[in-house]
């Protein structure tokens, strides 16, 4: 049974802590790429939704008390669509430069999970999924591209999408 037939879509969150405040020249390159990369995401077959704040991105939202922490939250038809965007599109070379804009985090910075089709996850739910990975490791409730669990109702072991070298570790 294809994932779409299961009635589920894939939610993803990634967070980062900027190396400097948003208006600092040290992170200007990151902010200069946002509109272009968001537009690329929306052209990928399988893109469903992404969180936005008062503008075209979510950088003005405050997911934590730390003003340098920013969040990206989106929903995709399946893991293959998200993987294609992250690792096989114009997003990939920009992501490769992330260490110049973001500090390494001590815990999980990315989580994936299945949501019923049409669901729009909240920031609170997304942060909870990161916490689940930090506390328990990848599971059917929160996972990564290295250990992607099947949608509810589908059988099988976790799948390793082999995201190396881009998302191994916590940097």
């Amino acid at each position: 049974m294809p994932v779409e037939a299961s009635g589920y879509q894939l939610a993803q969150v990634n967070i980062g802590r900027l190396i400097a405040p948003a208006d600092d020249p040290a992170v200007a390159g990151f902010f200069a790429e946002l509109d272009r990369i968001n537009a690329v995401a929306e052209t990928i077959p399988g893109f469903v939704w992404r969180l936005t704040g008062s503008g075209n991105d979510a950088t003005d939202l405050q997911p934590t008390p730390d003003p340098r922490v920013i969040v990206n939250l989106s929903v995709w038809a399946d893991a293959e669509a998200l993987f294609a965007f992250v690792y096989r599109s114009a997003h990939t070379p920009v992501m490769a430069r992330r260490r110049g804009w973001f500090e390494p985090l001590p815990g999980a910075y990315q989580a994936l999970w299945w949501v019923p089709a049409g669901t729009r996850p909240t920031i609170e739910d997304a942060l909870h999924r990161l916490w689940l990975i930090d506390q328990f490791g990848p599971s059917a409730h929160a996972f990564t591209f290295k250990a992607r669990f099947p949608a509810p109702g589908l059988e099988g072991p976790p799948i390793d999408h082999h995201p190396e070298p881009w998302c191994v570790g916590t940097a």
Side-chain angles (χ1 to χ4, degrees):
M1 170 175 25
V3 173
E4 312 83 58
S6 74
Y8 287 87
Q9 296 173 323
L10 188 72
Q12 79 78 34
V13 63
N14 64 79
I15 63 169
R17 185 168 194 274
L18 295 165
I19 61 169
D23 59 354
D24 191 289
V27 293
F30 168 76
F31 286 96
E33 294 283 6
L34 272 179
D35 282 342
R36 182 177 73 85
I37 296 304
N38 285 334
V40 169
E42 293 174 354
T43 68
I44 299 292
F47 170 82
V48 175
W49 169 87
R50 66 182 174 85
L51 178 68
T52 60
S54 61
N56 190 38
D57 58 56
T59 59
D60 65 319
L61 303 176
Q62 290 271 236
T64 72
D66 184 341
R68 289 177 28 205
V69 172
I70 61 173
V71 63
N72 175 283
L73 180 59
S74 60
V75 176
W76 297 79
D78 54 39
E80 289 72 21
L82 175 59
F83 194 86
F85 166 66
V86 175
Y87 300 105
R88 295 188 179 112
S89 77
H91 174 267
T92 308
V94 175
M95 181 183 57
R97 297 177 12 216
R98 74 187 183 280
R99 287 181 182 89
W101 300 315
F102 293 94
E103 295 178 354
L105 293 177
Y109 63 89
Q110 179 192 57
L112 311 174
W113 69 101
W114 296 106
V115 296
T119 299
R120 301 299 176 253
T122 65
I123 290 175
E124 293 76 19
D125 187 32
L127 294 177
H128 177 71
R129 303 303 172 139
L130 292 168
W131 179 85
L132 285 172
I133 290 175
D134 281 342
Q135 295 300 306
F136 304 106
S139 71
H141 302 287
F143 46 88
T144 66
F145 279 124
K146 291 285 297 166
R148 196 253 305 158
F149 283 74
L154 300 178
E155 298 295 322
I159 295 170
D160 183 347
H161 278 258
H162 302 287
E164 286 92 2
W166 308 111
C167 75
V168 176
T170 59

